[in-house]
Amino acid sequence: EAQAVVAKGATAALDLTAGFPETAPLLALPYCNIQLLPLTVPTVAQLREAVAFVHQHSSRGIVYVHGALGYSRSVGVISAYLGTVIGDE
């Protein structure tokens, strides 16, 4: 799956899992791991770090953001990022 993500154009990876090893194809990209447990709320500092990483790397290409379950951590971070982008307009 990670190879397919890179093949589709991912240029950076934000890993929001805690305790899971990342795959080599994603580690070869600019990479950030902010360890969040499933179904927990990130701290303000963690959220700021995640949004800053997405903001920095999205100007250069596609940022692949993932947790393990696919419906809370990644969605929350991208919602926060979009809030900053939309708020700037």
Side-chain angles (χ1 to χ4, degrees):
E1 290 178 32
Q3 289 175 341
V5 166
V6 173
K8 289 181 180 180
T11 57
L14 176 57
D15 175 0
L16 301 173
T17 64
F20 291 97
E22 188 57 89
T23 62
L26 295 180
L27 287 172
L29 303 175
Y31 172 81
C32 178
N33 176 228
I34 299 173
Q35 296 189 3
L36 301 175
L37 294 173
L39 304 174
T40 61
V41 177
T43 66
V44 172
Q46 289 171 318
L47 197 54
R48 284 186 178 141
E49 181 182 1
V51 168
F53 182 86
V54 173
H55 186 61
Q56 176 186 5
H57 292 282
S58 65
S59 64
R60 300 180 189 131
I62 298 168
V63 180
Y64 180 66
V65 179
H66 74 91
L69 302 175
Y71 61 84
S72 73
R73 292 172 279 195
S74 55
V75 172
V77 165
I78 293 305
S79 295
Y81 166 74
L82 289 174
T84 65
V85 173
I86 293 169
D88 290 344
E89 293 180 353

Coordinates of all heavy atoms in Angstrom, one line a residue:
E1 N 0.8 -1.2 0.0 CA 0.0 0.0 0.0 C 0.9 1.3 0.0 O 0.5 2.2 -0.7 CB -0.9 0.0 1.2 CG -2.0 -1.0 1.1 CD -2.9 -1.0 2.4 OE1 -3.1 0.1 3.0 OE2 -3.4 -2.1 2.7
A2 N 1.9 1.2 0.8 CA 2.8 2.4 0.8 C 3.4 2.7 -0.5 O 3.6 3.9 -0.9 CB 3.9 2.2 1.9
Q3 N 3.8 1.7 -1.2 CA 4.4 1.9 -2.6 C 3.4 2.5 -3.5 O 3.7 3.4 -4.3 CB 4.9 0.5 -3.1 CG 6.1 0.0 -2.4 CD 6.6 -1.4 -2.9 OE1 5.8 -2.1 -3.5 NE2 7.8 -1.7 -2.6
A4 N 2.1 2.1 -3.4 CA 1.1 2.7 -4.2 C 0.9 4.2 -3.9 O 0.6 5.0 -4.8 CB -0.2 1.9 -4.0
V5 N 1.0 4.5 -2.6 CA 0.8 5.9 -2.2 C 1.9 6.7 -2.8 O 1.7 7.8 -3.4 CB 0.8 6.0 -0.7 CG1 1.0 7.4 -0.2 CG2 -0.4 5.4 -0.1
V6 N 3.1 6.3 -2.8 CA 4.3 7.0 -3.4 C 4.1 7.0 -4.9 O 4.3 8.1 -5.5 CB 5.6 6.3 -2.9 CG1 6.8 7.0 -3.7 CG2 5.8 6.4 -1.4
A7 N 3.7 6.0 -5.5 CA 3.5 5.9 -6.9 C 2.4 6.9 -7.4 O 2.5 7.5 -8.5 CB 3.1 4.5 -7.4
K8 N 1.4 7.2 -6.5 CA 0.4 8.1 -6.8 C 0.8 9.6 -6.6 O 0.0 10.5 -6.8 CB -0.9 7.8 -6.1 CG -1.6 6.5 -6.6 CD -2.8 6.2 -5.8 CE -3.5 5.0 -6.3 NZ -4.7 4.6 -5.6
G9 N 2.0 9.8 -6.1 CA 2.5 11.1 -6.0 C 2.8 11.7 -4.6 O 3.1 12.9 -4.5
A10 N 2.6 10.9 -3.6 CA 2.9 11.4 -2.2 C 4.4 11.9 -2.1 O 5.3 11.2 -2.6 CB 2.6 10.3 -1.2
T11 N 4.6 13.0 -1.6 CA 5.9 13.6 -1.5 C 6.4 13.8 0.0 O 7.5 14.2 0.2 CB 6.0 15.0 -2.2 OG1 5.0 15.8 -1.6 CG2 5.7 14.8 -3.7
A12 N 5.5 13.5 0.9 CA 5.8 13.6 2.4 C 4.8 12.7 3.1 O 3.7 12.5 2.6 CB 5.7 15.0 2.9
A13 N 5.1 12.3 4.3 CA 4.3 11.4 5.1 C 4.2 11.9 6.5 O 5.2 12.1 7.2 CB 4.8 10.0 5.1
L14 N 2.9 12.0 7.0 CA 2.7 12.3 8.4 C 2.0 11.1 9.1 O 0.9 10.8 8.7 CB 1.8 13.6 8.5 CG 1.3 14.0 9.9 CD1 2.5 14.2 10.9 CD2 0.4 15.2 9.9
D15 N 2.7 10.5 10.0 CA 2.3 9.3 10.6 C 1.7 9.7 12.0 O 2.5 10.2 12.8 CB 3.5 8.3 10.7 CG 3.2 7.1 11.5 OD1 2.1 6.9 12.0 OD2 4.2 6.3 11.6
L16 N 0.5 9.4 12.3 CA -0.2 9.8 13.5 C -0.4 8.6 14.4 O -1.2 8.6 15.3 CB -1.5 10.5 13.3 CG -1.4 11.7 12.4 CD1 -2.7 12.3 12.0 CD2 -0.6 12.8 13.1
T17 N 0.4 7.5 14.2 CA 0.2 6.3 15.0 C 1.2 6.3 16.1 O 2.3 6.9 16.1 CB 0.4 5.0 14.2 OG1 1.7 4.9 13.7 CG2 -0.6 5.0 13.0
A18 N 0.9 5.5 17.1 CA 1.8 5.3 18.3 C 2.0 3.8 18.4 O 1.1 3.0 18.5 CB 1.1 5.8 19.6
G19 N 3.3 3.4 18.3 CA 3.6 2.0 18.5 C 3.6 1.1 17.2 O 3.7 -0.1 17.3
F20 N 3.4 1.7 16.1 CA 3.4 1.0 14.8 C 4.7 1.4 14.0 O 4.9 2.6 13.8 CB 2.2 1.3 14.0 CG 0.9 0.7 14.5 CD1 0.1 1.5 15.3 CD2 0.6 -0.6 14.3 CE1 -1.1 1.0 15.8 CE2 -0.6 -1.1 14.8 CZ -1.4 -0.3 15.6
P21 N 5.4 0.4 13.5 CA 6.6 0.8 12.6 C 6.1 1.3 11.3 O 5.1 0.8 10.8 CB 7.3 -0.5 12.5 CG 6.3 -1.6 12.7 CD 5.3 -1.0 13.6
E22 N 6.8 2.3 10.8 CA 6.4 2.8 9.4 C 7.1 2.0 8.4 O 8.2 1.4 8.6 CB 6.9 4.3 9.3 CG 6.4 5.0 8.1 CD 4.9 5.0 7.9 OE1 4.2 5.9 8.5 OE2 4.4 4.0 7.3
T23 N 6.6 2.0 7.2 CA 7.1 1.3 6.1 C 8.2 2.0 5.4 O 8.3 3.3 5.4 CB 6.0 1.0 5.0 OG1 5.5 2.2 4.5 CG2 4.9 0.2 5.6
A24 N 9.2 1.3 4.8 CA 10.3 1.9 4.1 C 10.0 2.9 3.0 O 10.6 4.0 3.0 CB 11.2 0.8 3.5
P25 N 9.0 2.7 2.2 CA 8.6 3.7 1.1 C 8.2 5.0 1.7 O 8.6 6.1 1.2 CB 7.5 3.1 0.4 CG 7.6 1.6 0.6 CD 8.2 1.5 2.0
L26 N 7.5 5.0 2.8 CA 7.1 6.3 3.4 C 8.3 6.9 4.2 O 8.4 8.2 4.3 CB 5.9 6.1 4.3 CG 4.6 5.7 3.6 CD1 3.4 5.6 4.5 CD2 4.3 6.7 2.5
L27 N 9.1 6.1 4.8 CA 10.3 6.6 5.5 C 11.3 7.3 4.6 O 12.1 8.1 5.0 CB 11.0 5.5 6.3 CG 10.2 5.1 7.6 CD1 10.9 3.9 8.2 CD2 10.1 6.2 8.6
A28 N 11.2 6.9 3.3 CA 12.1 7.5 2.3 C 11.7 9.0 2.0 O 12.5 9.7 1.4 CB 12.2 6.7 1.1
L29 N 10.5 9.3 2.3 CA 10.0 10.7 2.1 C 10.3 11.6 3.3 O 10.6 11.1 4.3 CB 8.4 10.6 1.9 CG 7.9 9.8 0.8 CD1 6.4 9.7 0.8 CD2 8.4 10.2 -0.6
P30 N 10.2 12.9 3.1 CA 10.1 13.7 4.3 C 9.0 13.2 5.2 O 7.9 12.9 4.8 CB 9.8 15.1 3.8 CG 10.3 15.1 2.4 CD 10.1 13.7 1.9
Y31 N 9.4 12.9 6.5 CA 8.5 12.1 7.4 C 8.4 12.7 8.8 O 9.4 13.2 9.3 CB 9.1 10.7 7.4 CG 8.4 9.8 8.4 CD1 7.3 9.1 8.1 CD2 9.0 9.5 9.7 CE1 6.7 8.3 9.0 CE2 8.4 8.7 10.6 CZ 7.2 8.1 10.3 OH 6.6 7.2 11.2
C32 N 7.2 12.6 9.3 CA 7.0 13.1 10.7 C 6.1 12.1 11.4 O 5.1 11.7 10.8 CB 6.4 14.5 10.7 SG 6.1 15.2 12.3
N33 N 6.5 11.7 12.6 CA 5.6 10.8 13.4 C 5.2 11.6 14.7 O 6.0 11.9 15.5 CB 6.3 9.5 13.8 CG 5.5 8.6 14.7 OD1 6.0 8.2 15.7 ND2 4.3 8.4 14.4
I34 N 3.9 11.8 14.8 CA 3.4 12.4 16.0 C 2.5 11.3 16.6 O 1.5 10.9 16.1 CB 2.5 13.7 15.7 CG1 3.4 14.7 15.0 CG2 1.9 14.2 17.0 CD1 2.7 15.9 14.5
Q35 N 3.0 10.8 17.8 CA 2.4 9.6 18.3 C 1.1 9.9 19.1 O 1.1 10.6 20.1 CB 3.4 8.9 19.2 CG 4.5 8.4 18.5 CD 5.5 7.5 19.3 OE1 5.2 7.2 20.4 NE2 6.5 7.1 18.7
L36 N 0.0 9.5 18.5 CA -1.4 9.7 19.1 C -2.0 8.3 19.2 O -2.0 7.5 18.3 CB -2.2 10.6 18.2 CG -1.7 12.0 17.8 CD1 -2.7 12.7 16.8 CD2 -1.6 12.8 19.1
L37 N -2.6 8.1 20.3 CA -3.4 6.9 20.6 C -4.7 7.0 19.8 O -5.3 8.1 19.7 CB -3.6 6.6 22.0 CG -2.3 6.4 22.8 CD1 -2.6 6.3 24.3 CD2 -1.7 5.1 22.4
P38 N -5.3 5.9 19.4 CA -6.6 5.9 18.7 C -7.7 6.5 19.6 O -7.7 6.4 20.8 CB -6.9 4.4 18.5 CG -5.6 3.7 18.5 CD -4.7 4.5 19.5
L39 N -8.5 7.3 19.0 CA -9.7 7.9 19.6 C -9.3 8.8 20.8 O -10.1 8.9 21.8 CB -10.7 6.8 20.0 CG -11.1 5.9 18.9 CD1 -12.0 4.7 19.5 CD2 -11.9 6.6 17.9
T40 N -8.2 9.5 20.7 CA -7.8 10.4 21.7 C -7.7 11.8 21.1 O -7.5 11.9 19.8 CB -6.5 10.1 22.4 OG1 -5.4 10.1 21.4 CG2 -6.5 8.7 23.1
V41 N -7.8 12.8 21.9 CA -7.6 14.2 21.4 C -6.2 14.6 21.5 O -5.6 14.5 22.5 CB -8.5 15.1 22.2 CG1 -8.3 16.6 21.8 CG2 -10.0 14.7 22.1
P42 N -5.6 15.1 20.4 CA -4.2 15.5 20.5 C -4.1 16.8 21.3 O -5.1 17.6 21.5 CB -3.8 15.9 19.0 CG -5.1 16.1 18.3 CD -6.2 15.3 19.1
T43 N -2.9 17.0 21.9 CA -2.7 18.2 22.6 C -2.6 19.4 21.6 O -2.4 19.1 20.4 CB -1.3 18.2 23.4 OG1 -0.3 18.1 22.4 CG2 -1.3 17.0 24.4
V44 N -2.7 20.6 22.0 CA -2.6 21.7 21.1 C -1.2 21.7 20.5 O -1.1 22.0 19.3 CB -2.8 23.1 21.9 CG1 -2.5 24.3 21.0 CG2 -4.3 23.1 22.4
A45 N -0.2 21.4 21.2 CA 1.2 21.3 20.6 C 1.3 20.3 19.5 O 1.9 20.5 18.5 CB 2.2 21.1 21.7
Q46 N 0.7 19.1 19.8 CA 0.7 18.1 18.8 C 0.0 18.5 17.5 O 0.4 18.3 16.4 CB 0.1 16.8 19.3 CG 1.0 16.1 20.3 CD 0.2 14.9 21.0 OE1 -0.9 15.0 21.3 NE2 0.9 13.8 21.1
L47 N -1.2 19.1 17.7 CA -2.0 19.6 16.6 C -1.2 20.7 15.8 O -1.2 20.6 14.6 CB -3.3 20.1 17.1 CG -4.4 20.2 16.1 CD1 -4.6 19.0 15.3 CD2 -5.7 20.7 16.7
R48 N -0.6 21.6 16.5 CA 0.2 22.6 15.8 C 1.3 22.0 15.0 O 1.6 22.4 13.9 CB 0.7 23.6 16.8 CG -0.3 24.6 17.3 CD 0.2 25.6 18.2 NE -0.8 26.6 18.6 CZ -0.9 27.1 19.8 NH1 0.0 26.8 20.7 NH2 -1.9 27.9 20.1
E49 N 2.0 21.0 15.6 CA 3.1 20.4 14.9 C 2.7 19.7 13.6 O 3.3 19.8 12.6 CB 3.8 19.4 15.8 CG 5.0 18.7 15.2 CD 5.7 17.7 16.1 OE1 5.2 17.5 17.2 OE2 6.7 17.1 15.6
A50 N 1.6 19.0 13.7 CA 1.0 18.3 12.6 C 0.6 19.2 11.5 O 0.9 19.0 10.3 CB -0.2 17.4 13.0
V51 N -0.1 20.3 11.9 CA -0.6 21.3 10.9 C 0.6 22.0 10.2 O 0.6 22.2 9.0 CB -1.6 22.3 11.5 CG1 -1.8 23.5 10.6 CG2 -2.9 21.6 11.9
A52 N 1.6 22.3 11.0 CA 2.8 22.9 10.4 C 3.5 22.0 9.4 O 3.9 22.5 8.4 CB 3.8 23.3 11.6
F53 N 3.6 20.7 9.7 CA 4.2 19.8 8.8 C 3.4 19.7 7.5 O 4.0 19.8 6.4 CB 4.3 18.4 9.4 CG 5.0 17.4 8.6 CD1 6.4 17.2 8.6 CD2 4.3 16.5 7.7 CE1 7.0 16.3 7.7 CE2 4.9 15.6 6.9 CZ 6.3 15.5 6.9
V54 N 2.1 19.6 7.6 CA 1.3 19.5 6.4 C 1.4 20.8 5.6 O 1.6 20.8 4.4 CB -0.2 19.2 6.7 CG1 -1.1 19.3 5.5 CG2 -0.3 17.9 7.4
H55 N 1.4 21.9 6.3 CA 1.5 23.2 5.6 C 2.8 23.4 4.9 O 2.8 23.8 3.7 CB 1.3 24.4 6.6 CG 1.2 25.7 6.0 ND1 0.2 26.1 5.1 CD2 2.0 26.8 6.2 CE1 0.4 27.3 4.7 NE2 1.5 27.8 5.4
Q56 N 3.9 23.0 5.6 CA 5.2 23.1 5.0 C 5.4 22.2 3.7 O 5.9 22.7 2.7 CB 6.3 22.7 6.0 CG 7.7 22.7 5.5 CD 8.7 22.2 6.4 OE1 8.4 21.7 7.5 NE2 10.0 22.2 6.1
H57 N 4.9 21.0 3.8 CA 5.2 20.1 2.8 C 4.1 20.1 1.7 O 4.3 19.6 0.6 CB 5.4 18.7 3.3 CG 6.6 18.6 4.1 ND1 7.9 18.5 3.5 CD2 6.9 18.7 5.4 CE1 8.8 18.4 4.4 NE2 8.2 18.6 5.6
S58 N 2.9 20.6 2.0 CA 1.8 20.6 0.9 C 2.2 21.6 -0.2 O 1.7 21.5 -1.3 CB 0.5 20.9 1.5 OG 0.4 22.2 2.1
S59 N 3.0 22.5 0.1 CA 3.4 23.5 -0.9 C 4.3 22.8 -2.0 O 4.5 23.4 -3.0 CB 4.1 24.7 -0.3 OG 5.3 24.3 0.3
R60 N 4.9 21.7 -1.6 CA 5.8 21.0 -2.5 C 5.2 19.7 -3.2 O 5.8 19.1 -4.0 CB 7.0 20.5 -1.7 CG 7.8 21.7 -1.1 CD 9.0 21.2 -0.4 NE 9.5 22.4 0.4 CZ 9.9 22.4 1.6 NH1 9.7 21.3 2.3 NH2 10.3 23.4 2.2
G61 N 4.0 19.4 -2.7 CA 3.3 18.2 -3.3 C 2.3 17.6 -2.3 O 1.7 18.3 -1.5
I62 N 2.0 16.3 -2.4 CA 1.0 15.6 -1.7 C 1.6 15.1 -0.4 O 2.6 14.4 -0.3 CB 0.5 14.4 -2.5 CG1 -0.2 14.9 -3.8 CG2 -0.5 13.6 -1.7 CD1 -0.5 13.8 -4.8
V63 N 0.9 15.4 0.7 CA 1.2 14.9 2.0 C 0.3 13.8 2.4 O -0.9 14.0 2.4 CB 1.2 16.0 3.1 CG1 1.6 15.5 4.5 CG2 2.1 17.2 2.7
Y64 N 0.8 12.6 2.6 CA 0.0 11.5 3.0 C -0.1 11.5 4.5 O 0.9 11.3 5.2 CB 0.7 10.2 2.5 CG 0.0 8.9 2.8 CD1 -1.3 8.7 2.3 CD2 0.5 8.0 3.7 CE1 -2.0 7.5 2.6 CE2 -0.1 6.8 4.0 CZ -1.4 6.6 3.5 OH -2.1 5.4 3.8
V65 N -1.3 11.6 5.0 CA -1.5 11.7 6.5 C -2.3 10.4 6.8 O -3.3 10.1 6.2 CB -2.4 12.9 6.8 CG1 -2.6 13.0 8.3 CG2 -1.7 14.2 6.3
H66 N -1.8 9.7 7.9 CA -2.5 8.5 8.2 C -2.3 8.2 9.7 O -1.4 8.5 10.4 CB -1.9 7.3 7.4 CG -0.6 6.8 7.8 ND1 -0.4 5.8 8.8 CD2 0.6 7.2 7.4 CE1 0.9 5.6 8.9 NE2 1.5 6.4 8.1
G67 N -3.4 7.5 10.2 CA -3.4 6.9 11.5 C -3.5 5.4 11.2 O -3.1 4.9 10.2
A68 N -4.1 4.7 12.1 CA -4.2 3.2 11.9 C -5.7 2.9 11.5 O -5.9 2.0 10.7 CB -3.8 2.5 13.2
L69 N -6.6 3.6 12.1 CA -8.0 3.2 11.8 C -8.6 4.0 10.7 O -9.6 3.5 10.0 CB -8.9 3.5 13.1 CG -8.4 2.7 14.3 CD1 -9.2 3.1 15.5 CD2 -8.5 1.2 14.1
G70 N -8.2 5.2 10.4 CA -8.6 6.0 9.3 C -9.8 6.9 9.5 O -10.4 7.3 8.5
Y71 N -10.2 7.2 10.7 CA -11.4 8.0 10.9 C -11.3 9.0 12.0 O -12.2 9.7 12.2 CB -12.6 7.2 11.0 CG -12.7 6.3 12.1 CD1 -13.1 6.7 13.4 CD2 -12.4 4.9 12.0 CE1 -13.2 5.8 14.4 CE2 -12.5 4.1 13.0 CZ -12.9 4.5 14.3 OH -13.0 3.6 15.3
S72 N -10.2 9.1 12.8 CA -10.2 10.1 13.8 C -9.0 11.0 13.8 O -9.0 12.2 13.6 CB -10.5 9.5 15.2 OG -9.4 8.8 15.7
R73 N -7.8 10.4 13.9 CA -6.6 11.1 14.0 C -6.3 11.9 12.7 O -6.1 13.1 12.7 CB -5.4 10.2 14.3 CG -5.4 9.7 15.7 CD -4.4 8.6 15.9 NE -4.8 7.4 15.3 CZ -4.3 6.2 15.6 NH1 -3.3 6.1 16.4 NH2 -4.8 5.1 15.0
S74 N -6.3 11.2 11.6 CA -6.0 11.9 10.3 C -7.1 12.9 10.0 O -6.7 14.0 9.5 CB -5.8 10.9 9.2 OG -6.9 10.0 9.1
V75 N -8.3 12.6 10.2 CA -9.4 13.5 9.9 C -9.3 14.8 10.7 O -9.5 15.9 10.2 CB -10.8 12.8 10.1 CG1 -11.9 13.8 9.9 CG2 -10.9 11.7 9.1
G76 N -9.0 14.6 12.0 CA -8.9 15.7 12.9 C -7.7 16.7 12.5 O -7.9 17.9 12.5
V77 N -6.6 16.1 12.1 CA -5.5 16.9 11.7 C -5.8 17.7 10.4 O -5.5 18.8 10.3 CB -4.2 16.1 11.6 CG1 -3.1 16.8 10.8 CG2 -3.7 15.7 13.0
I78 N -6.3 17.0 9.4 CA -6.6 17.6 8.2 C -7.7 18.7 8.3 O -7.7 19.7 7.7 CB -7.0 16.6 7.1 CG1 -5.7 15.7 6.8 CG2 -7.5 17.2 5.8 CD1 -4.5 16.5 6.4
S79 N -8.7 18.4 9.2 CA -9.7 19.4 9.5 C -9.0 20.7 10.1 O -9.4 21.8 9.7 CB -10.7 18.9 10.5 OG -11.5 17.9 9.9
A80 N -8.1 20.5 11.0 CA -7.4 21.7 11.6 C -6.6 22.4 10.5 O -6.6 23.6 10.5 CB -6.5 21.2 12.7
Y81 N -5.9 21.6 9.7 CA -5.1 22.2 8.6 C -6.0 23.0 7.6 O -5.7 24.2 7.3 CB -4.4 21.2 7.8 CG -3.8 21.6 6.5 CD1 -2.7 22.5 6.4 CD2 -4.5 21.3 5.3 CE1 -2.2 23.0 5.2 CE2 -4.0 21.8 4.1 CZ -2.9 22.6 4.0 OH -2.4 23.1 2.8
L82 N -7.1 22.5 7.2 CA -8.1 23.2 6.3 C -8.6 24.4 7.0 O -8.8 25.4 6.3 CB -9.2 22.2 5.9 CG -8.7 21.1 4.9 CD1 -9.9 20.2 4.6 CD2 -8.2 21.7 3.6
G83 N -8.8 24.3 8.3 CA -9.3 25.5 9.0 C -8.3 26.7 8.9 O -8.7 27.8 8.8
T84 N -7.0 26.3 8.9 CA -6.0 27.4 8.8 C -5.9 27.9 7.4 O -5.7 29.1 7.2 CB -4.6 26.9 9.3 OG1 -4.1 25.9 8.4 CG2 -4.6 26.4 10.7
V85 N -6.0 27.0 6.4 CA -6.0 27.5 5.0 C -7.2 28.3 4.7 O -7.1 29.4 4.1 CB -5.9 26.2 4.1 CG1 -6.0 26.6 2.6 CG2 -4.6 25.5 4.3
I86 N -8.4 27.8 5.0 CA -9.6 28.6 4.7 C -9.6 29.9 5.5 O -10.1 30.9 5.0 CB -10.8 27.7 5.0 CG1 -10.9 26.5 4.0 CG2 -12.1 28.5 5.0 CD1 -11.9 25.5 4.4
G87 N -9.1 29.9 6.7 CA -9.1 31.1 7.5 C -8.2 32.1 6.9 O -8.4 33.3 7.2
D88 N -7.2 31.8 6.1 CA -6.3 32.7 5.5 C -6.9 33.4 4.3 O -6.3 34.4 3.8 CB -5.0 32.0 5.1 CG -4.1 31.6 6.3 OD1 -4.4 32.1 7.4 OD2 -3.2 30.8 6.1
E89 N -8.0 32.8 3.8 CA -8.5 33.4 2.5 C -9.4 34.6 2.8 O -10.0 34.8 3.8 CB -9.3 32.3 1.8 CG -8.4 31.2 1.3 CD -9.2 30.1 0.5 OE1 -10.4 30.1 0.5 OE2 -8.5 29.3 -0.1

